[in-house]
Amino acid sequence: MKLSAEDAFRQYGDRVFSAAFSVAGNPEDADDAVQNTFLKYCAYDKEFADQEHLRAWLLRVAINEAKDQRRSFWQKHRVSLEDYMETLTFREPEDKSLFEAVMALPVKYRVVVHLFYYEDYSIAQIAQILHTREGTVKSQLSRGRQLLKNRLLEEWNDDE
């Protein structure tokens, strides 16, 4: 099974961008990662087993592309998270606080938190996507949750 690049982008583009952004930390690098992901998809000759396999492949490639972006020279010339935050709208004030807290996490925790909570992947699926062990994913997810909890509690206590 293989969708046209246009159909794949229409169906998964937002999720691929979201995953890339969670690693890259800025929209420009995330856009580049998305573009490179779909270029690789166009050049990929093999068939996918099903929609889930395709989605996981796209997310894994986007995450790897975003990591490559972070290591590049251009990383030093990026737009800050604060500048990007000004362009976003949130339904509830708590959504903004949660987004900021997630984006403040180190990349290794941010990625697993994103895949688990925003993409609804299981720990086993995340381990497959990131090519790591389930124990590592569990550990990173647990540490990421703890860091989020601590940060949000600090903010809550500061507001009182």
Side-chain angles (χ1 to χ4, degrees):
M1 181 219 86
K2 186 157 183 189
L3 300 175
S4 69
E6 187 176 310
D7 288 340
F9 183 78
R10 201 171 321 162
Q11 193 166 352
Y12 300 109
D14 289 340
R15 291 185 176 275
V16 170
F17 176 84
S18 184
F21 183 81
S22 74
V23 174
N26 68 75
E28 291 80 13
D29 287 345
D31 281 337
D32 289 345
V34 169
Q35 184 176 14
N36 290 339
T37 298
F38 282 97
L39 285 172
K40 286 184 177 186
Y41 176 74
C42 290
Y44 193 72
D45 290 336
K46 297 179 182 173
E47 294 286 318
F48 295 94
D50 55 22
Q51 293 276 350
E52 186 57 35
H53 181 215
L54 170 60
R55 178 176 167 222
W57 185 90
L58 288 170
L59 290 171
R60 180 176 56 244
V61 171
I63 288 167
N64 289 337
E65 287 292 325
K67 285 179 181 178
D68 289 346
Q69 288 286 338
R70 287 183 58 84
R71 289 187 286 265
S72 75
F73 167 79
W74 300 109
Q75 176 65 20
K76 297 174 185 170
H77 304 289
R78 67 181 179 149
V79 176
S80 70
L81 178 61
E82 293 77 23
D83 292 342
Y84 180 65
M85 288 292 294
E86 298 296 321
T87 67
L88 299 176
T89 56
F90 298 94
R91 290 187 200 145
E92 302 292 328
E94 297 83 26
D95 293 343
K96 182 177 181 181
S97 295
L98 181 59
F99 179 77
E100 288 173 336
V102 169
M103 291 308 295
L105 292 173
V107 174
K108 65 182 177 181
Y109 304 132
R110 188 183 327 148
V111 170
V112 295
V113 166
H114 175 82
L115 291 174
F116 189 80
Y117 289 105
Y118 294 104
E119 300 297 333
D120 294 322
Y121 277 112
S122 70
I123 289 171
Q125 291 169 318
I126 295 169
Q128 271 187 321
I129 290 169
L130 299 178
H131 297 289
T132 190
R133 295 188 323 226
E134 287 182 35
T136 302
V137 173
K138 286 179 187 177
S139 160
Q140 289 174 341
L141 190 57
S142 175
R143 289 180 184 143
R145 285 179 185 141
Q146 189 61 46
L147 289 170
L148 277 175
K149 179 181 174 184
N150 293 343
R151 180 173 173 103
L152 293 172
L153 280 174
E154 284 175 13
E155 287 180 17
W156 188 70
N157 289 334
D158 290 344
D159 288 343
E160 289 182 348

